[in-house]
Amino acid sequence: MSDLNAFREETRAWLEDNCPASMRTPTPENEVVWGGRKQEWVNPDSKVWMERMAERGWTVPQWPTEYGGGGLSIDQDKILQEELRRINARSPLQSFGIWMLGPALLEFASEEQKRHYLPQITRGEIRWCQGYSEPNYGSDLAGLQTRAEDKGDHYLVNGAKIWTSYADQADWIFCLVRTDTDAPKHEGISFLLFDMDSPGVTTSPIELISGASPFCQTFFDNVEVPRGQLVGEINKGWTIAKRLLQHERQMVSGIGGNSALGGSGTKLEDMAKHYVGEADGLIADAAVRSDVCEHRMNDRAFQLTMSRATDEAKAGRPDGNLASVFKYYGTEQNKRKYERLLEIMGTQAVGWDGVTFSEKEIGTTRQWLRSKANSIEGGTSEVQLNVVAKRVLGLPD
Ligand SMILES: Cc1cc2nc3c(=O)[nH]c(=O)nc-3n(C[C@H](O)[C@H](O)[C@H](O)COP(=O)(O)OP(=O)(O)OC[C@H]3O[C@@H](n4cnc5c(N)ncnc54)[C@H](O)[C@@H]3O)c2cc1C
């Protein structure tokens, strides 16, 4: 315990000295740091904060120090997160590299690849996108058709991906390709990494109902990918792909079980008091109060179940398939949160633009629409239920 207490003191002092004051406020949309070659530093403190955290290995606290991580234990990381929350520190770096690709590389990449790619991820130098889904091959991902032909020193990639989040802003892609067209579908897939600036790569943004265009269709036309950028063995990419999806599902499930809204930190109960009214410190309407209580109790139960799973993993009993349980529940819970919120806000929840609605209200309506995608991205709710039925409950096909 005393070691952990000393670590907390040291951490608190370091954060006090190194976290700029403007990094202790909620993050406006245009100041989120995704890193990479196209990052624009709207607030110069964001750069200072990311670089200081990266230098200490704390953009990825638990990764080994030789790959740019902090080498912290789970308990030390918990303390670091508590201390960051205590001062309302912003996340220094958002990154598919940190959440999805990095953990897969730690498990499957060669030593040379780890030393090359992982430190770039920890320092936010390269922004990654995920080239999995294709038209007709989303849930049935293993049927993917993008081809990579072996040309000796390189693979020649041809095909198209869809729903590639931020492909137009990413520097590199981790991409599933078919390298054997005769083998059963799961056994002819490989996992490639390549630069989005490679000749033959083009992206075309897709506009969404919310007005934003974070997705692209991504085309590959005779893209040459050096042989050394294959991760793992040829035709064995499906194993890597599945493990990466578990990390993705873990990440997406984290958005559930939290009654705070978006980046604002406002709680559901505060919104209810504001829109429905407050009586003696309680939400005035008994039915709304009961709904909010039920939601909060489910949040709490979900958080406790997730932390139990973390403790079990720490005790040497990890179960990757639980990611599907959490992905399913967390994303459905987040959707329910926004549905409840819309009921609470009443007519103030239907704003799109204009002066009748505040910026925050318009933002909430857009977030409600965005939340609908949570149970699709990273594999749909139905697909998670299939995984739970087969791999967790052991039910027959
Ligand atoms: C916000 C967001 C971000 C995304 N980002 C990326 C990205 O960066 N990279 C990427 O590669 N992809 C990305 N995707 C794509 C995502 O992975 C797919 O949308 C998802 O896997 C579903 O595939 P689909 O859209 O083709 O739907 P389909 O597979 O066509 O599914 C249609 C419907 O049929 C149901 N269904 C399908 N098969 C079954 C089955 N066996 N049993 C029961 N029901 C079934 C589904 O649940 C769904 O309701 C993103 C999607 C979203 C919404």
Side-chain angles (χ1 to χ4, degrees):
M1 267 321 271
S2 61
D3 280 356
L4 287 179
N5 285 340
F7 177 76
R8 185 184 293 279
E9 268 177 37
E10 225 175 86
T11 302
R12 192 172 287 189
W14 187 88
L15 290 176
E16 208 43 63
D17 291 346
N18 288 282
C19 182
S22 73
M23 294 295 106
R24 304 177 191 205
T25 58
T27 319
E29 188 86 16
N30 65 348
E31 290 188 24
V32 175
V33 176
W34 286 95
R37 304 191 284 243
K38 295 178 190 144
Q39 174 72 46
E40 284 176 19
W41 300 101
V42 177
N43 179 347
D45 281 350
S46 311
K47 186 164 190 286
V48 171
W49 177 226
M50 187 198 74
E51 285 175 353
R52 285 181 183 166
M53 286 291 274
E55 198 178 330
R56 199 151 173 114
W58 284 358
T59 52
V60 277
Q62 290 185 40
W63 287 12
T65 49
E66 62 268 36
Y67 307 129
L72 300 191
S73 65
I74 293 180
D75 288 335
Q76 287 173 321
D77 192 10
K78 264 190 191 165
I79 289 174
L80 171 60
Q81 300 313 320
E82 282 167 14
E83 291 302 313
L84 286 165
R85 270 198 300 277
R86 200 181 65 84
I87 59 166
N88 292 322
R90 292 185 188 179
S91 160
L93 178 62
Q94 309 280 309
S95 156
F96 290 176
I98 291 176
W99 302 324
M100 298 191 239
L101 177 64
L105 291 182
L106 278 167
E107 191 174 353
F108 295 101
S110 67
E111 188 55 30
E112 196 186 343
Q113 288 172 330
K114 286 185 207 170
R115 289 192 183 271
H116 180 73
Y117 294 111
L118 293 174
Q120 290 179 346
I121 291 173
T122 67
R123 295 192 298 259
E125 290 168 359
I126 299 290
R127 183 170 180 179
W128 290 87
C129 63
Q130 178 186 30
Y132 273 35
S133 309
E134 297 182 6
N136 299 324
Y137 301 100
S139 300
D140 182 20
L141 181 62
L144 60 95
Q145 299 291 312
T146 292
R147 286 285 311 275
E149 289 170 76
D150 190 343
K151 296 287 181 186
D153 64 341
H154 68 272
Y155 296 99
L156 193 65
V157 179
N158 280 288
K161 298 285 172 180
I162 196 163
W163 311 126
T164 328
S165 302
Y166 308 111
D168 53 344
Q169 292 165 48
D171 306 306
W172 277 59
I173 187 167
F174 47 95
C175 191
L176 296 181
V177 292
R178 184 155 301 283
T179 36
D180 186 340
T181 48
D182 298 326
K185 63 181 181 179
H186 296 94
E187 291 162 30
I189 294 172
S190 298
F191 193 98
L192 285 184
L193 310 175
F194 53 94
D195 195 321
M196 293 292 280
D197 280 345
S198 309
V201 179
T202 47
T203 59
S204 170
I206 304 167
E207 192 168 333
L208 303 185
I209 189 174
S210 62
S213 304
F215 302 117
C216 292
Q217 193 153 12
T218 308
F219 302 96
F220 310 125
D221 184 12
N222 286 326
V223 181
E224 293 186 13
V225 178
R227 212 178 172 76
Q229 291 168 207
L230 169 80
V231 179
E233 284 176 53
I234 192 83
N235 297 325
K236 297 274 194 276
W238 185 244
T239 307
I240 307 175
K242 277 193 303 182
R243 183 55 59 95
L244 189 142
L245 277 174
Q246 288 179 343
H247 293 295
E248 181 177 8
R249 287 166 186 169
Q250 204 84 51
M251 163 196 99
V252 180
S253 68
I255 61 171
N258 179 357
S259 71
L261 298 156
S264 71
T266 315
K267 298 251 193 278
L268 198 55
E269 52 270 35
D270 298 334
M271 296 289 272
K273 285 177 188 167
H274 177 75
Y275 285 98
V276 178
E278 188 174 342
D280 301 328
L282 302 175
I283 300 165
D285 184 299
V288 176
R289 194 162 66 232
S290 162
D291 274 358
V292 171
C293 276
E294 186 193 350
H295 187 87
R296 292 287 266 140
M297 276 165 25
N298 286 335
D299 269 1
R300 185 76 184 125
F302 180 57
Q303 278 167 344
L304 288 173
T305 309
M306 285 213 294
S307 71
R308 195 191 68 212
T310 308
D311 287 345
E312 281 174 5
K314 198 172 131 191
R317 295 192 302 275
D319 184 350
N321 293 317
L322 284 180
S324 287
V325 176
F326 295 134
K327 204 274 173 179
Y328 171 75
Y329 191 84
T331 55
E332 294 295 339
Q333 177 74 344
N334 197 48
K335 288 200 303 186
R336 280 191 292 271
K337 175 173 77 189
Y338 278 100
E339 288 296 336
R340 289 216 150 103
L341 186 59
L342 254 67
E343 283 164 19
I344 287 168
M345 289 169 68
T347 51
Q348 287 310 108
V350 294
W352 193 248
D353 48 27
V355 288
T356 322
F357 307 99
S358 69
E359 222 172 272
K360 200 168 168 187
E361 285 166 343
I362 292 169
T364 304
T365 310
R366 290 175 189 233
Q367 280 169 8
W368 164 69
L369 285 169
R370 176 62 182 82
S371 73
K372 301 291 174 201
N374 296 153
S375 52
I376 302 173
E377 58 197 309
T380 66
S381 278
E382 291 76 14
V383 166
Q384 304 319 307
L385 290 176
N386 285 346
V387 174
V388 172
K390 250 200 257 176
R391 309 226 181 90
V392 180
L393 302 175
L395 300 176
D397 276 338

